[in-house]
Amino acid sequence: MTPQEFYWKWQVKQEDIANICCRSTYAVNSWLAQGARYKTPSSDSLHHLALMDFILENFETIPKELLNQLCSFA
């Protein structure tokens, strides 16, 4: 999932995406920029966004034990 897709789907702040991806707000702003300021996000950042999207989409159906494991990494 791209940062743009995540941003519009979940209506989050750039700071939230930065925290999810363990990146700076500056990096996230460059992912959301257009033109010369645009930078391609790394594959691991895209992976973090895809995982967070899955968790948010399926939050109510994820077993509590698994959710606790997934969220204990922070």
Side-chain angles (χ1 to χ4, degrees), residues 26-52:
Y26 178 81
V28 173
N29 288 336
S30 71
W31 301 341
L32 298 173
Q34 295 182 3
R37 291 189 50 233
Y38 174 78
K39 301 278 190 232
T40 304
S42 64
S43 61
D44 63 322
S45 294
L46 298 176
H47 182 77
H48 280 103
L49 291 176
L51 285 174
M52 184 57 73

Side-chain angles (χ1 to χ4, degrees), residues 1-21 24-25 27-34 38 41 45-46 48-50 52-54 56-57:
M1 168 167 263
T2 69
Q4 293 85 351
E5 292 168 334
F6 193 89
Y7 181 79
W8 290 111
K9 180 176 182 178
W10 296 108
Q11 298 295 299
V12 295
K13 298 177 184 175
Q14 288 92 331
E15 293 85 8
D16 297 324
I17 294 176
N19 287 329
I20 292 166
C21 297
S24 69
T25 303
V28 173
N29 288 336
S30 71
W31 301 341
L32 298 173
Q34 295 182 3
Y38 174 78
S45 294
L46 298 176
H48 280 103
L49 291 176
M52 184 57 73
D53 178 62
F54 175 82
L56 292 171
E57 281 283 347

